[in-house]
Amino acid sequence: MSLTEDIRNRLNSAFNPRELDVVDDSESHRGHAGYREGGESHFNVRIRADAFQGQSRVARHRAVHKALGDIVPRIHALALDIGD
């Protein structure tokens, strides 16, 4: 399973989002720090879920990082756009 699929599966399981977009943006970072041939080093995630309602921005980010667990140390960059 690709990291993109693994990220999507874990976030779906943890938050049952109404909206979830996981984009491997690695190619646009070619030649920059952390880029790996074959991609899966830089990700953009947009997620909307009721589970985030009433949480601060920091709490939302912590929840996503917790749900992703061991994936986070394996990637170079993770841009999050989180809403309720």
Side-chain angles (χ1 to χ4, degrees):
M1 171 184 318
S2 72
L3 275 176
T4 304
E5 292 168 341
D6 200 3
I7 290 169
R8 187 175 291 112
N9 289 342
R10 290 184 192 201
L11 294 177
N12 273 320
S13 292
F15 304 110
N16 190 29
R18 292 183 313 280
E19 180 183 339
L20 177 61
D21 296 313
V22 180
V23 177
D24 180 353
D25 190 38
S26 303
E27 191 56 36
S28 67
H29 296 274
R30 182 179 285 276
H32 299 147
Y35 174 80
R36 285 190 302 263
E37 195 64 44
E40 298 204 314
S41 60
H42 296 73
F43 290 92
N44 295 326
V45 172
R46 177 181 167 88
I47 184 170
R48 300 293 182 264
D50 293 339
F52 298 123
Q53 198 164 31
Q55 291 185 352
S56 70
R57 182 174 183 258
V58 171
R60 293 173 184 199
H61 280 248
R62 285 182 178 152
V64 167
H65 279 250
K66 183 177 180 182
L68 296 179
D70 66 330
I71 290 176
V72 176
R74 294 188 286 160
I75 59 178
H76 181 73
L78 177 63
L80 298 173
D81 178 357
I82 306 171
D84 53 17

